[in-house]
Amino acid sequence: MSPPEVVRLEAGHLDAVRDFLNGLPEEDATFIKEDVHDPSVAEGWCSGGDRARRLVARDGDRVAGLASVVPLHGWSSHVGELRLVVSPQARGRGLGRELARRALAEAFDLGLEKVVVEVVAEQEGAIRMFDDLGFRGEALLQRHIRDRHGGLRDLLVLAHAADEEWSSLASVGVEEDLRPG
Ligand SMILES: CC(C)(COP(=O)(O)OP(=O)(O)OC[C@H]1O[C@@H](n2cnc3c(N)ncnc32)[C@H](O)[C@@H]1OP(=O)(O)O)[C@@H](O)C(=O)NCCC(=O)NCCS
């Protein structure tokens, strides 16, 4: 079977996206923020219509991972929030890193000046991955989220700024994705 490929989300992916969302453990579904059990959520994503950019990692007919860049509003409209989830069965094969790298390119293509991502503070692997892509820690929100057992955990906000980071974008291959043609 050919390796997973990362493509922009489109209408034809709707059923596969629903299956992906339904298969996510509750804990991982929280990274998406919208209610993944509401059928209109996936429909809205697949029909586009908002400013967000969404990418899926396709593994044959299935969706193995999803990344979104959601522009914020008002005085933070220059900032995009990155959300990223890979299905537990597909982790550790480089999909998360590739989705994050491509989502960053989409964010800067949208003209956003800064991208933020929220990570549970003890997820060292994920933090290392974002650090490699040029994200830096900007805020630690203590006891900010509840896990599924009701335990309180710290949330780390990582940020990537477009302006000072062109050399680091080049080093992770994002610059290539932004070049016209
Ligand atoms: C974070 C996440 C997207 C990584 O997906 P993935 O496909 O496993 O990532 P990759 O295979 O590209 O791994 C990227 C690197 O991070 C490391 N890594 C990622 N998640 C890790 C974890 N939970 N524990 C240890 N290492 C981890 C890998 O070792 C790898 O390092 P390497 O490239 O030096 O080997 C996935 O674990 C996930 O969906 N987690 C739940 C949601 C989440 O935390 N999202 C991030 C904030 S929105």
Side-chain angles (χ1 to χ4, degrees):
M1 205 175 21
S2 47
E5 53 167 354
V6 173
V7 294
R8 278 202 186 152
L9 182 63
E10 54 186 56
H13 297 139
L14 180 58
D15 289 341
V17 169
R18 281 196 177 135
D19 289 346
F20 169 75
L21 294 177
N22 288 333
L24 280 181
E26 205 54 43
E27 193 165 72
D28 291 345
T30 55
F31 284 96
I32 293 186
K33 293 204 175 169
E34 290 96 333
D35 177 6
V36 299
H37 303 300
D38 176 350
S40 67
V41 166
E43 242 165 66
W45 292 346
C46 292
S47 60
D50 57 3
R51 253 185 95 214
R53 294 270 176 94
R54 296 189 172 87
L55 300 167
V56 285
R58 282 194 333 176
D59 200 357
D61 288 339
R62 300 180 66 83
V63 163
L66 181 75
S68 312
V69 176
V70 182
L72 304 185
H73 299 285
W75 63 8
S76 292
S77 59
H78 60 295
V79 180
E81 186 181 340
L82 171 60
R83 302 171 193 171
L84 171 68
V85 181
V86 171
S87 74
Q89 301 79 3
R91 287 184 192 162
R93 290 157 59 195
L95 280 186
R97 186 183 291 271
E98 180 58 11
L99 278 164
R101 191 183 70 80
R102 290 279 302 275
L104 202 51
E106 294 284 350
F108 296 137
D109 185 52
L110 271 176
L112 297 171
E113 293 167 28
K114 178 178 177 181
V115 179
V116 293
V117 64
E118 296 179 349
V119 188
V120 182
E122 64 261 38
Q123 276 202 318
E124 283 164 21
I127 294 166
R128 232 183 4 257
M129 176 184 83
F130 286 117
D131 184 73
D132 284 352
L133 290 170
F135 284 81
R136 299 292 173 254
E138 254 191 15
L140 178 67
L141 307 181
Q142 293 184 350
R143 298 162 63 79
H144 196 73
I145 43 176
R146 267 193 324 272
D147 63 26
R148 66 196 160 113
H149 308 294
L152 294 175
R153 293 158 79 177
D154 297 348
L155 186 73
L156 189 60
V157 181
L158 306 170
H160 194 308
D163 48 359
E164 73 227 23
E165 294 282 2
W166 280 101
S167 56
S168 74
L169 288 180
S171 74
V172 294
V174 169
E175 195 203 35
E176 297 258 297
D177 289 334
L178 292 175
R179 213 169 282 150

